[in-house]
Amino acid sequence: MAASNINRVVLTGNLTRDPELRSLPSGMSVCNLRIASNSRRKENGEWVDKPNYFSVTVWGAQGENASRFLSKGRPVAIDGRLEWREWQDQTGNKREAIEIVADSVQFLGGREDGQGGGGGGYGGGAGAGAGNGFTPHSDVPTDTSDFSPQPVGARNTAPADDDIPF
């Protein structure tokens, strides 16, 4: 039996430049993004951020929206896949690149984030926005009722180990 392959990328970071939108002769829109996402490592006993830069391609209406609403410094979350391609440059040299083809792009933070290089949101990418503090924002409401404190003496209603069927 053959194992199935998985090619999935989930990435949060900040845009390092404004999106670049273009249209193909077929009329299809394609938007190119450049994302910086930090990884941390310890050097000489100190934690340091190492920026990683990724090229992202967004197709169709989603690419048009990314071009319209995103700008340099804005925090984003990307869900997509890696794609490898190769070509010959004008001098005949073999070139290759690995990029992320986005299936979805989620805008993180508010409109004020990233304007003039601000950068709350998830990922705290390098470049614009790094070091401005971590202020996560999301457009998804959070239900915190599961974390509400219980009154003293409240009965725990969790099932006993004997009641669990596995």
Side-chain angles (χ1 to χ4, degrees):
M1 178 190 287
S4 62
N5 295 318
I6 299 173
N7 180 357
R8 191 102 233 124
V9 174
V10 177
L11 175 72
T12 61
N14 290 50
L15 285 141
T16 63
R17 64 179 183 222
D18 288 339
E20 297 173 2
L21 181 68
R22 59 188 168 90
S23 292
L24 301 178
S26 66
M28 174 68 78
S29 297
V30 60
C31 183
N32 293 315
L33 306 174
R34 189 81 169 148
I35 308 291
S37 183
N38 284 344
S39 58
R40 301 197 85 198
R41 62 180 173 197
K42 217 170 195 179
E43 289 182 6
N44 301 323
E46 296 288 326
W47 284 102
V48 294
D49 289 333
K50 178 192 177 292
N52 296 286
Y53 300 97
F54 301 95
S55 296
V56 180
T57 302
V58 190
W59 292 94
Q62 189 164 213
E64 293 173 12
N65 285 334
S67 175
R68 187 176 310 129
F69 297 111
L70 291 176
S71 59
K72 179 179 178 178
R74 286 290 306 267
V76 295
I78 305 291
D79 184 5
R81 65 188 186 281
L82 291 177
E83 191 168 287
W84 176 80
R85 59 188 174 94
E86 66 179 344
W87 71 96
Q88 283 189 352
D89 65 13
Q90 294 173 347
T91 60
N93 294 323
K94 183 178 174 182
R95 304 287 311 256
E96 51 188 59
I98 297 175
E99 62 188 4
I100 299 168
V101 176
D103 293 327
S104 71
V105 176
Q106 182 178 0
F107 308 164
L108 301 177
R111 285 185 181 266
E112 67 280 354
D113 293 341
Q115 301 300 323
Y122 304 106
N132 287 347
F134 179 72
T135 310
H137 299 286
S138 177
D139 55 356
V140 179
T142 305
D143 179 8
T144 59
S145 62
D146 289 342
F147 304 108
S148 59
Q150 294 292 314
V152 175
R155 183 166 179 225
N156 183 359
T157 58
D161 286 340
D162 295 338
D163 295 336
I164 300 173
F166 48 90

